[in-house]
Amino acid sequence: MSNRFSDNASSSGNWSDYPGNRRTNHSTGRSNYGGSRRSTNNTKGNPIGNWIQNRAEEIRARHRNRQRNQVGGAVGTEAKAIQNQRANAKDFKYPEAGFITPIEHSLLYAMIEYPENYPESVVRNEIEEEDFNQYLYVKEKERKGGGTRDGGGEQNLQTKTSTSQTTMQQSEEEKLVSYGQLSALLALSAAKNPPRASPEQSSTTEAESGNQTLSVGETLCRKLLRTITRYADAHSLDREHEIRELLDPIERRCAMRNEKEALKQLLPAYAGYTVSLLTGNPLPLLIGAAALTGPDPMVEENTNVHGFRGLGSRTGDMETAGLLDENEFEDD
């Protein structure tokens, strides 16, 4: 037996040819195969992994392009301003041509939209210093044939210069005016700012202490009413009608927001009532009814809008307006 074993061992010449070592050969072949797939000679890599990676990159690029197209390629605060402009154009019926100076891009709009970032005294001072006449004028639509080119020479130049003065005088009178932006700003103030001024200890003079008794919404409303009444008096327009054009869109928007908030409170109650009827369990009804007992989120906005209407009625009625109010709105 020992001779046969020695003969087989000597005849093979190498212990690696023994059948028991085949497992080692196979494992070595698999490791070599795997190593060849991960070698530097294979530049394509895993085709399935590359397809998944390329597909994910295409989806991300498509999402970025969609966001750029929605806001015209703008990002950050500019994109937010464009979104506000589109929403206000729908809610307050902006003219199709748009305004010459968009109010949504102003610093005052950002101050009123984010009252937690600015003290009320700073916002009130910004309101008093702001010129709201620039937000009244609407862009003029391009007229067909208005930009014709003709080599008229000196005669054409003389006719243009002679009519330039008359056109400048007529342009000031024929400018289209809309109160849409002012209504949007005042409605934003009603929704974002409390109806009463917060106590501040920064008032050092009597004028500042008297001014701080007014809230941001009241200060803005008085300034806008002053702007509109001056425009109405300068163009011989009815004060009451012009003030209604300013305040009516705000009241309509406030009514729509009240309806939406009421639905938010009623839907859980109706859902709980339905589930209680189907299951016989009164717990869903009690949970839904708890939503009706919660605080009304529209209280402050309704109070602001009601106060705006009171200021507007006092300012529009010239006969019953007191001497103090007249001096207030006529004084710069």
Side-chain angles (χ1 to χ4, degrees), residues 88-122:
N88 292 334
K90 181 180 179 181
D91 294 337
F92 299 96
K93 298 180 180 180
Y94 282 7
E96 295 182 359
F99 290 91
I100 297 176
T101 306
I103 199 171
E104 291 82 5
H105 295 266
S106 63
L107 176 61
L108 180 59
Y109 194 94
M111 286 183 172
I112 294 178
E113 186 177 9
Y114 303 103
E116 65 276 3
N117 297 335
Y118 303 93
E120 290 187 2
S121 59
V122 176

Side-chain angles (χ1 to χ4, degrees), residues 36-67:
S36 63
R37 294 178 62 188
R38 293 187 296 270
S39 63
T40 56
N41 297 329
N42 188 7
T43 57
K44 294 183 179 180
N46 190 354
I48 299 178
N50 292 336
W51 181 85
I52 295 175
Q53 184 178 1
N54 295 333
R55 184 62 176 172
E57 184 64 27
E58 291 178 0
I59 294 174
R60 287 193 294 267
R62 191 180 305 168
H63 181 67
R64 289 194 298 266
N65 294 332
R66 187 182 300 111
Q67 288 182 342

Side-chain angles (χ1 to χ4, degrees), residues 226-245:
R226 191 185 312 162
T227 302
I228 290 177
T229 51
R230 286 177 178 175
Y231 180 83
D233 295 340
H235 295 82
S236 301
L237 300 175
D238 186 14
R239 273 192 173 192
E240 294 183 1
H241 178 74
E242 301 302 312
I243 292 174
R244 283 198 302 270
E245 286 190 2

